[in-house]
Amino acid sequence: MQDLVYHITEHETWQKAHQAGFYEPANFATDGFIHMSTRGQVIRTANRFYAGRKGLVLLAIDPQLVTSAIIYENLEGGSEPFPHLYGRLNLSAVIQALDFPPAQDGSFHLPAALQAD
């Protein structure tokens, strides 16, 4: 099985996805893709862009079930490529949606449900 990819979103946005039948974040229209991270990147991503934010959910996504193209690319000149989903995320590809609260100091850590993997 291919490694999972991850996406951080707000609970409210995730709930709206269930009503719509697909997931598409607000910045999709501007960016043209959905930002994702590998397991090794997700905590750095969370701490860089979401430090201290509450009400988040971490989506664990099986790339083999995604119906749009995932392209690993480096668009910001960093040292590593990140997965980007060029299309809406079909809900059937999301194998887990985990509450993703920050620690007391505002930092994020891998949820316990993913640490055992």
Side-chain angles (χ1 to χ4, degrees), residues 41-114:
Q41 295 167 331
V42 72
I43 297 305
R44 283 181 283 136
T45 298
N47 287 324
R48 180 175 176 193
F49 295 105
Y50 298 96
R53 287 210 22 214
K54 296 178 181 173
L56 299 177
V57 62
L58 179 62
L59 305 180
I61 301 157
D62 185 338
Q64 294 179 332
L65 300 177
V66 172
T67 56
S68 298
I70 295 177
I71 299 174
Y72 285 75
E73 54 194 352
N74 184 337
L75 299 177
E76 296 182 3
S79 61
E80 63 185 319
F82 280 79
H84 296 139
L85 176 62
Y86 281 88
R88 295 172 169 168
L89 174 60
N90 53 298
L91 302 184
S92 59
V94 179
I95 62 167
Q96 276 186 300
L98 302 163
D99 286 335
F100 197 43
Q104 277 192 311
D105 67 358
S107 67
F108 287 91
H109 305 279
L110 205 58
L114 297 178

